[in-house]
Every structure is written in C-alpha cells, then in structure tokens.
Amino acid sequence: MSARKIIIDTDPGQDDAVAILLALASPQEIDLLGITCVAGNVPLALTQTNARRVCEVAGRPDVAVHAGCDAPLQRPLITAEHVHGKTGLDGPELWDPTMPLAAAHGVDFIIDTLRREAPGTVTLCPLGPLTNIAAAFQKAPDIVDRVQEIVLMGGAYFEVGNITPAAEFNIYVDPEAAAAVLTSGVPITMMPLDVTHKALATRARVEKIRALDTKVARFTAEMLDFFERFDVEKYGSEGGPLHDPCVIAYLIRPELFSGRKINVVVETTSELTLGMTVADWWGVTDRPANAQFMGDLDADGFFDLITTRLAQL
C-alpha cells in the first residue's frame, strides 16, 4: 500500500511535537504533505515556531510549515501555558529555528492541497482547535467532499472535561469550528480524552525513549519530563497522557484502538457546558452517527510503536 497523504494541523504543545515526530518517522505509512499551525496551546507565533523546531530536530527542514488562524472563529483565544509552559515546548533547551515559514496562509494551503490532490486521497489530522479546518471549509465549500477522512484529537465523554468540568480543551477553544466540522459530512474519527488518558507516558516508558540516546530521543524525553508534571499533580496519574500521537498512531496501526460509530454534537451556547462533546455512546437518540469515537487502546503497543519509530529519526 502507498503511504497515506495527510496534513497535520497543530498547536505544539509537547504531545503535538511527538505526533509530528511519529509521522516524520513513518514514511512507509505517512506522506506528510505539510503542517498548518493554529493558535491553541500557545499563541500562533509560538505554535508555528515550535512546529519548525520539531521539523529541525527531526532533520526535516524541507517540510512546509504554514501559519494559519491566530484566533478562534468567533471568540477570544484561550491558551494552555499552565500545561505546556510559556513556550509550549518547555523542557528541552530551545533555539530559534532557521528553516523558513512557508508563505501561504495555512487555510489556503489546506484548500489548495485538497483541490490539487485527487479526491478522497488526503486525510486531515487536527491536533488542536479546529479553527483552520472550519475556516477552510467555509472559504471553499468545494473541498469538503474531497477530504478522505478527518482524524482528530478532541472531545471527551466519560472523561468529561480537562479545561472546564464539561469540555476538552481543543473543542472548548473554538466550539463553533468544532460544530462546523462535525456537521460537515466528512468521515470523522475522534480521539477523545476517553482514549488519550490511557496513553500515559509513565516513567518507564519515557526512560525507554531516553535510552535510544539520539538527539530526537533526548529532545522527546526532556519534553515529557516537563509535560507529565501537570497531569500527575492534577489526576494522580502515573504520567502525562500523549493525546495527539494517538491520531498518527491510529493511521499507522488502527488495530491498537477500539471505539464506536456514534453521533457527537458540540454544545455552543450554554455557559455551563460550552464546548462539551455530547456523545451518544449508548444510542439513546435517533441522531445519525457522524463520528468514530474511540474509547480504548493498547497502551503498550502504542508506546512500542512510538519508541521504535523515534529510533529511526
């Protein structure tokens, strides 16, 4: 089989960085057409800088990194420095990237790429707020039917919220964008907190990565050393959850994951539950299924995949 063509839309973020590295380390399965950046975990100026840092540490300055939207569609930006640190990639010693930022706006890159490639051959992989994807669909409705699939990290149901009692961060930051994407008709696979909270970067798993003793492995381990402190303190877990790499791991080894095809609706009006992904897991409504909503994963297999692939960079 030929490698799957994807665009990663991201707001790095330590876990976003690991997702990008996993994609770059998997050329047999993944053909990364480009990276688009969005404001989310940190403002856009930092997310686009961080994406280029990750490409450089992987030895891939040839990857096109595009800056996209710097704010949600209708709301002021909410960020997550309390999780990711002031740079978004706190942990390793950082540097100013030398690879250039691509000229085209991220939204235009998404549109142009979907129009250029054959219909049904490009998968969109949003790892942050869905602003760029929704903006592209609004600006160029003709591209919607050309998308092969959207595989995204976002939402929660049984795990409820991590930024409010009811909402997961990526969806909460731009609920209108998330609602637009989930009603677009594109085939969607969601990696909610229900599954990503099982992808824990325990100390033993981080040390296996560090033991690779490469530039990429040390960079990754140092990121995860910092990243884990928030969730360990908040949840009492054994490590920080690697949310975003679940998206890329699913494309490489879908058998690691299990879930259900269900209906998911995003709350956009309630002050109490804004950004909640109301997932009809038990099929109690007659609303049609619009997303494959993942609920479990083989965590050991997931970290084995990450570790063996990072060893190749």
Side-chain angles (χ1 to χ4, degrees), residues 10-21 41-43 45-57 80-95 97 218-227 229 242 244:
T10 182
D11 61 337
Q14 290 90 349
D15 55 325
D16 305 70
V18 178
I20 294 168
L21 292 171
N41 286 323
V42 287
L46 286 172
T47 63
Q48 56 93 348
T49 299
N50 289 342
R52 289 183 290 143
R53 285 170 169 147
V54 175
C55 290
E56 288 189 350
V57 82
E81 288 89 351
H82 63 288
V83 179
H84 299 276
K86 67 182 188 308
T87 69
L89 285 186
D90 278 20
E93 185 175 345
L94 299 177
W95 65 96
R218 289 189 294 271
F219 179 80
T220 302
E222 288 166 6
M223 284 194 301
L224 298 182
D225 289 342
F226 177 87
F227 184 57
R229 96 226 176 278
L242 287 192
D244 296 328

Side-chain angles (χ1 to χ4, degrees), residues 277-291:
T277 45
V278 182
D280 188 9
W281 183 261
W282 301 114
V284 296
T285 74
D286 58 1
R287 295 192 291 267
N290 62 344

Side-chain angles (χ1 to χ4, degrees), residues 4-310:
R4 187 163 180 171
K5 296 177 180 179
I6 73 168
I7 296 172
I8 290 178
D9 186 68
T10 182
D11 61 337
Q14 290 90 349
D15 55 325
D16 305 70
V18 178
I20 294 168
L21 292 171
L22 180 58
L24 293 174
S26 306
Q28 290 187 321
E29 296 92 355
I30 301 295
D31 179 5
L32 181 57
L33 302 179
I35 296 172
T36 54
C37 298
V38 67
N41 286 323
V42 287
L44 182 65
L46 286 172
T47 63
Q48 56 93 348
T49 299
N50 289 342
R52 289 183 290 143
R53 285 170 169 147
V54 175
C55 290
E56 288 189 350
V57 82
R60 291 295 307 276
D62 57 297
V63 176
V65 175
H66 298 258
C69 295
D70 63 1
L73 296 179
Q74 300 178 22
R75 299 175 185 272
L77 177 64
I78 295 167
T79 55
E81 288 89 351
H82 63 288
V83 179
H84 299 276
K86 67 182 188 308
T87 69
L89 285 186
D90 278 20
E93 185 175 345
L94 299 177
W95 65 96
D96 292 331
T98 58
M99 65 179 279
L101 188 66
H105 190 282
V107 169
D108 293 326
F109 173 76
I110 293 169
I111 293 169
D112 293 344
T113 302
L114 286 165
R115 285 175 173 169
R116 181 184 70 245
E117 300 290 340
T121 63
V122 176
T123 295
L124 302 179
C125 298
L127 310 179
L130 289 157
T131 314
N132 284 340
I133 310 301
F137 286 0
Q138 290 175 4
K139 185 174 181 179
D142 60 286
I143 68 172
V144 175
D145 291 339
R146 301 178 71 89
V147 179
Q148 180 180 5
E149 184 180 6
I150 295 172
V151 183
L152 67 91
M153 189 278 131
Y157 188 60
F158 296 103
E159 286 285 307
V160 291
N162 64 353
I163 187 68
T164 74
E168 179 275 328
F169 177 81
N170 287 344
I171 306 298
Y172 180 76
V173 169
D174 199 342
E176 285 78 17
V181 170
L182 277 164
T183 56
S184 67
V186 175
I188 292 173
T189 296
M190 296 180 69
M191 296 291 167
L193 298 182
D194 304 80
V195 66
T196 67
H197 274 178
K198 298 171 183 175
L200 294 179
T202 63
R203 179 50 41 197
R205 289 165 175 165
V206 174
E207 292 308 321
K208 280 187 177 180
I209 293 172
R210 197 189 317 272
L212 297 173
D213 199 27
T214 64
K215 182 179 180 181
V216 167
R218 289 189 294 271
F219 179 80
T220 302
E222 288 166 6
M223 284 194 301
L224 298 182
D225 289 342
F226 177 87
F227 184 57
E228 74 167 3
R229 96 226 176 278
F230 178 78
D231 287 271
V232 169
E233 181 178 330
K234 180 177 181 180
Y235 298 110
S237 60
E238 296 180 3
L242 287 192
H243 308 284
D244 296 328
C246 289
V247 169
I248 306 302
Y250 172 76
L251 296 178
I252 299 168
R253 290 190 58 194
E255 68 275 11
L256 292 173
F257 299 85
S258 61
R260 295 183 187 179
K261 189 76 178 292
I262 63 171
N263 180 268
V264 182
V265 178
V266 178
E267 176 59 64
T268 59
T269 58
S270 166
E271 288 186 19
L272 186 65
T273 58
L274 180 68
M276 183 178 184
T277 45
V278 182
D280 188 9
W281 183 261
W282 301 114
V284 296
T285 74
D286 58 1
R287 295 192 291 267
N290 62 344
Q292 180 79 5
F293 197 84
M294 291 302 175
D296 204 0
L297 87 161
D298 173 357
D300 287 337
F302 171 79
F303 278 94
D304 286 345
L305 174 65
I306 290 175
T307 305
T308 56
R309 292 302 169 88
L310 290 181

